[in-house]
Amino acid sequence: MFEKDKIAIDLGSSNIKIMVGNKKQVKLFEVIKTPKGCIEDDKIVDLEQIMNLLQIFLKKNNVRTKQIGFVIHGQDVISRHTEVPIIDDKGIKTSLEWEMNQYLPKDIIEYSIDYEIIEKIDTLEKKSLKLLVSAVPKEKIDQLVKLSQMLNLEIVAIDINSNCARRVFKDVSKKHTSLESIAVINLGSNNTNVIILDKGKLFIEREIPFGVNNMLKEIIKKENIEHDSAFEYLKEKFSFMGNENDNELQNRVTSLFNNVLSSLEKIITFFTIGKSKSNLDSIYLIGGGCDINGLCEYVSNYFNCPVYLLDDVKGIGVKTMISTDCNIKHFIGTLGLLLRRE
């Protein structure tokens, strides 16, 4: 079957990640540094400048496909798991609007609500659909629609970051039968997103308001340096496994990150209630902060669990052809968007 190419875009406050291709092959990928002030708190502030950046990319690479999709994330995106009887789409949406209304901080008319079927149960004992439901502020959706119109492109998908990650990692347990339960930790600029998969099915996802920028603030304050210099310090001099030159800074940053791990620990405890195993089989680290020195070993020691940095998606059961030049750890959202079934 012929697969249409599409442009998958993940707009972040620090970087814009772009992939062009389809389920079978990623033909193009690039990371573009986000101009300061263009995207703040996962919201587009300067639509015109973002549009110009994307136009330059498309023209430079002679991208001809007219289909585009966006990965969205942020504290204003509400997602829940629920279960409904096997009914038609209209019935599902009516049920979900009633259910989601209790979780939303604003009137439900200000949100776009959509769902994806995670599992269909059709047995003599039970007939139901397990769903991942997302509520996104319409203002956020409207910005992306406007951006696509400015680029003269057709939106074919808008999906949440955790759902994209689920698609990428869903076949880990098929590829490695010993890895039935895994967590994926996405350490981003402003937030850390955590998902737990049980035999490829999404059990839970949480977004924690802590990211690389929280670490940079501590470095800037302690070292009295600019943001870019602080980022270089974090990459080159800092280590989670100890830094003899500056224990105070080491301890402060580590203490802040421990709050993220403590939240994850509670999620794992909830996940393992009633199960024969009291721990996960493995953890994968992805995102902009995943390769900070010592992070992999530190998380492994914290949870007494194998922790991996993803270098090759073939090892987790993804068949998409991707260049070895692609640092796939930073493109999980866009890859998951290309894997989406329309």
Side-chain angles (χ1 to χ4, degrees):
M1 180 180 175
F2 177 72
E3 293 282 352
K4 284 186 177 180
D5 288 347
K6 62 174 172 260
I7 306 157
I9 298 182
D10 185 348
L11 297 169
S13 58
S14 297
N15 294 298
I16 299 171
K17 283 149 284 189
I18 308 172
M19 274 185 163
V20 180
N22 53 60
K23 295 175 188 175
K24 294 182 179 179
Q25 182 181 9
V26 173
K27 300 177 180 179
L28 187 62
F29 59 90
E30 190 164 325
V31 176
I32 301 172
K33 187 172 177 59
T34 306
K36 188 174 182 181
C38 277
I39 299 175
E40 294 180 357
D41 297 326
D42 296 301
K43 296 176 183 176
I44 302 174
V45 177
D46 192 334
L47 201 60
E48 190 80 20
Q49 195 166 355
I50 295 298
M51 184 269 292
N52 288 335
L53 279 175
L54 295 178
Q55 275 189 332
I56 292 170
F57 167 82
L58 296 173
K59 186 176 181 179
K60 178 185 71 174
N61 293 285
N62 195 29
V63 177
R64 296 192 178 278
T65 179
K66 289 294 183 179
Q67 296 190 336
I68 191 170
F70 294 95
V71 183
I72 55 174
H73 32 75
Q75 294 292 304
D76 56 351
V77 177
I78 311 297
S79 60
R80 288 289 183 273
H81 296 268
T82 190
E83 192 170 332
V84 299
I86 298 179
I87 51 178
D88 61 19
D89 179 68
K90 184 178 179 181
I92 291 175
K93 288 186 175 179
T94 300
S95 174
L96 295 182
E97 285 180 2
W98 179 86
E99 182 174 339
M100 290 298 287
N101 194 45
Q102 61 186 309
Y103 299 113
L104 302 178
K106 298 179 182 178
D107 196 299
I108 195 168
I109 63 172
E110 296 186 38
Y111 289 83
S112 291
I113 296 176
D114 203 356
Y115 68 91
E116 182 165 343
I117 298 173
I118 302 300
E119 183 180 4
K120 182 177 181 179
I121 302 173
D122 191 0
T123 64
L124 291 175
E125 295 78 20
K126 188 175 184 180
K127 297 182 183 297
S128 66
L129 300 172
K130 290 188 176 182
L131 310 174
L132 174 63
V133 190
S134 301
V136 182
K138 287 182 178 178
E139 180 184 7
K140 198 164 194 163
I141 299 293
D142 290 344
Q143 277 191 317
L144 298 177
V145 171
K146 187 174 181 180
L147 178 58
S148 67
Q149 291 171 343
M150 293 166 71
L151 292 165
N152 194 29
L153 297 173
E154 174 197 3
I155 286 188
V156 292
I158 297 176
D159 210 340
I160 60 174
N161 192 53
S162 58
N163 205 25
C164 292
R166 175 189 65 82
R167 284 193 206 97
V168 175
F169 286 90
K170 68 181 179 65
D171 289 330
V172 170
S173 61
K174 293 180 183 177
K175 187 75 174 178
H176 306 280
T177 55
S178 62
L179 304 182
E180 292 187 350
S181 59
I182 68 167
V184 181
I185 303 176
N186 186 346
L187 181 54
S189 296
N190 297 314
N191 301 297
T192 297
N193 185 272
V194 178
I195 65 171
I196 291 181
L197 298 179
D198 185 21
K199 296 178 182 177
K201 295 181 174 61
L202 185 61
F203 172 78
I204 197 169
E205 68 91 17
R206 289 288 183 270
E207 188 151 279
I208 303 165
F210 176 92
V212 173
N213 285 337
N214 297 85
M215 302 181 192
L216 295 179
K217 286 177 183 176
E218 292 299 318
I219 296 172
I220 290 169
K221 183 167 61 177
K222 183 68 174 65
E223 296 294 311
N224 193 26
I225 54 180
E226 298 295 325
H227 182 276
D228 288 347
S229 298
F231 188 78
E232 287 301 316
Y233 183 102
L234 183 64
K235 291 291 185 181
E236 303 296 333
K237 297 182 180 179
F238 181 85
S239 173
F240 273 99
M241 294 309 293
N243 188 333
E244 296 178 358
N245 297 324
D246 198 338
N247 286 327
E248 183 182 343
L249 181 57
Q250 158 79 27
N251 292 336
R252 177 60 182 159
V253 172
T254 301
S255 177
L256 288 172
F257 187 65
N258 280 346
N259 293 329
V260 176
L261 299 184
S262 177
S263 297
L264 177 55
E265 190 171 26
K266 292 174 183 176
I267 297 171
I268 294 173
T269 300
F270 174 62
F271 169 74
T272 56
I273 290 175
K275 295 182 181 292
S276 57
K277 293 186 291 186
S278 60
N279 203 355
L280 298 171
D281 293 320
S282 67
I283 295 173
Y284 289 85
L285 300 181
I286 62 173
C290 69
D291 46 12
I292 296 173
N293 292 328
L295 180 61
C296 200
E297 186 178 353
Y298 185 80
V299 175
S300 179
N301 290 343
Y302 189 99
F303 290 110
N304 190 28
C305 170
V307 176
Y308 305 103
L309 292 175
L310 186 65
D311 294 316
D312 181 6
V313 293
K314 290 181 181 178
I316 58 171
V318 177
K319 297 178 181 178
T320 309
M321 292 176 58
I322 306 173
S323 168
T324 55
D325 294 337
C326 179
N327 189 344
I328 195 61
K329 296 186 291 293
H330 304 306
F331 287 92
I332 296 301
T334 51
L335 177 59
L337 203 57
L338 295 183
L339 294 174
R340 177 185 169 113
R341 291 181 180 178
E342 302 304 334

